[in-house]
Amino acid sequence: MPAILVLDDSATMVMSLSRILKSAGYEVETASNGKEGMAKLAGGLKPSVILTDINMPQMDGIAFIKEARKSASTRFTPIIVLTTESGGQKRDEARAAGASAWLTKPTEPNELLTALKQLLPSK
Amino acid sequence: MQSTIEASDHLVCAVLAAQVAELRSRIDTGATVELLWQTSDMLSRLSGLVLEFAKRCSESDPNLNEECNAAIAAEAEISRSLESLAFTQAQRNDFTCQTVDCVVTALERLAVTEGTVGARLSPSDLDALYVSEEQRKVHDLATRRFNTAALAGRTDAESRNREGPGG
């Protein structure tokens, strides 16, 4: 069962994403910011895909992507950005940092699951 | 006199920041989302019981069995819709809270920094607080409206000046 690491500072968003992903058959790990997410990765978590918000306290999504890309275990892990930011400079920054896909809130569960399926390594 | 005006101005900003922050907890729809999840979970549980019941009556009452299966299918559809609604609501809630946080941060900054309003917080300072394109669009629209109104005000004042006090 593929594991997804979800990063969002909104507890309601984290819970909502977890429910949708779990009901679609994924294992879910969560973090409330980039720092917590990095700590989980350093602790040995090897997610198949990472789903991250951009605007978070302590370490934002872009800083997290940069850090994750430095680590050998997550250098090539697909990272989806899910944020209220709809584009422009932040999107360019995220792409430059190594984001694989970008979804703007509000999005639909199906849109999210389709993006995940496209990025998951085929077996 | 000037310092009294500034102190009053700071106080107004501090009070407004507190008022908007207070509003945040009321517009936070986390409880609504929670209720949608609870409803979805309860429907799933009931659906499980109906499934069990359907199995037991499959031979003794085929019609009831059919109705049970239809109810289970309907439940699955409704649960999907509830989850989708909760997800949309959670995202809207997220955006609303972020905008409220932006207003509170701006007002708190105005409440503690010295100088004129423009110097304490410029439009570009505000822009740095935004977290979405939607907020920037509202900012641009408000700026255009403000500039149009200011221009109209200046034109009116100039007309009055040209016409003189008796005009």
Side-chain angles (χ1 to χ4, degrees):
Chain A
M1 196 187 290
I4 315 287
L5 173 61
V6 174
L7 288 85
D8 201 306
D9 59 331
S10 158
T12 310
M13 269 308 293
V14 167
M15 184 67 181
S16 196
L17 285 165
S18 298
R19 287 177 65 98
I20 288 164
L21 296 172
K22 281 179 184 169
S23 70
Y26 297 108
E27 269 179 21
V28 181
E29 278 289 332
T30 65
S32 61
N33 58 60
K35 204 174 167 187
E36 211 179 297
M38 283 311 299
K40 294 226 168 178
L41 294 174
L45 179 70
K46 288 186 175 60
S48 302
V49 175
I50 298 169
L51 187 60
T52 182
D53 187 14
I54 287 285
N55 299 292
M56 295 180 288
Q58 293 190 59
M59 183 190 280
D60 70 14
I62 291 170
F64 168 79
I65 297 169
K66 284 179 185 167
E67 283 301 308
R69 289 304 183 219
K70 285 180 196 166
S71 161
S73 64
T74 48
R75 187 163 298 150
F76 303 110
T77 306
I79 301 179
I80 302 175
V81 172
L82 177 61
T83 176
T84 50
E85 293 277 5
S86 55
Q89 194 189 337
K90 292 275 184 186
R91 193 173 185 147
D92 293 341
E93 282 177 39
R95 194 179 290 138
S100 318
W102 182 284
L103 291 173
T104 304
K105 294 176 190 171
T107 188
E108 292 288 324
N110 281 345
E111 199 180 349
L112 172 68
L113 295 173
T114 303
L116 273 172
K117 276 180 198 153
Q118 284 171 350
L119 289 169
L120 274 168
S122 50
K123 290 186 179 169
Chain B
M1 183 65 182
Q2 181 63 29
S3 64
T4 313
I5 292 168
E6 271 181 21
S8 162
D9 186 36
H10 284 160
L11 176 62
V12 168
C13 290
V15 170
L16 284 175
Q19 293 281 13
V20 179
E22 179 64 27
L23 199 63
R24 190 193 198 281
S25 59
R26 295 190 198 180
I27 56 176
D28 192 331
T29 54
T32 310
V33 175
E34 189 91 19
L35 187 61
L36 287 169
W37 290 334
Q38 281 174 13
T39 309
S40 173
D41 290 344
M42 180 50 77
L43 282 174
S44 296
R45 214 170 130 193
L46 290 172
S47 183
L49 291 171
V50 174
L51 179 65
E52 193 55 43
F53 183 66
K55 279 181 199 163
R56 291 183 191 188
C57 70
S58 61
E59 284 180 15
S60 61
D61 194 339
N63 286 340
L64 185 57
N65 176 266
E66 202 173 305
E67 279 188 39
C68 286
N69 287 331
I72 292 163
E75 183 282 325
E77 191 55 43
I78 288 170
S79 276
R80 259 196 300 277
S81 299
L82 286 174
E83 287 293 338
S84 182
L85 181 63
F87 187 46
T88 306
Q89 199 66 43
Q91 292 174 91
R92 283 186 186 152
N93 185 48
D94 195 26
F95 174 73
T96 307
C97 289
Q98 284 174 341
T99 302
V100 169
D101 289 343
C102 166
V103 173
V104 171
T105 304
L107 286 169
E108 281 175 347
R109 206 176 289 178
L110 285 170
V112 294
T113 48
E114 299 298 326
T116 59
V117 171
R120 277 148 59 195
L121 194 72
S122 69
S124 59
D125 290 335
L126 267 184
D127 193 61
L129 297 175
Y130 298 146
V131 293
S132 78
E133 217 42 44
E134 222 169 317
Q135 289 173 325
R136 291 183 195 99
K137 277 183 194 160
V138 171
H139 179 115
D140 290 344
L141 185 65
T143 305
R144 278 201 298 277
R145 276 188 194 147
F146 180 86
N147 288 338
T148 307
L151 186 67
R154 271 205 302 276
T155 311
D156 284 350
E158 281 164 10
S159 302
R160 279 197 299 275
N161 286 343
R162 273 199 299 276
E163 286 164 7

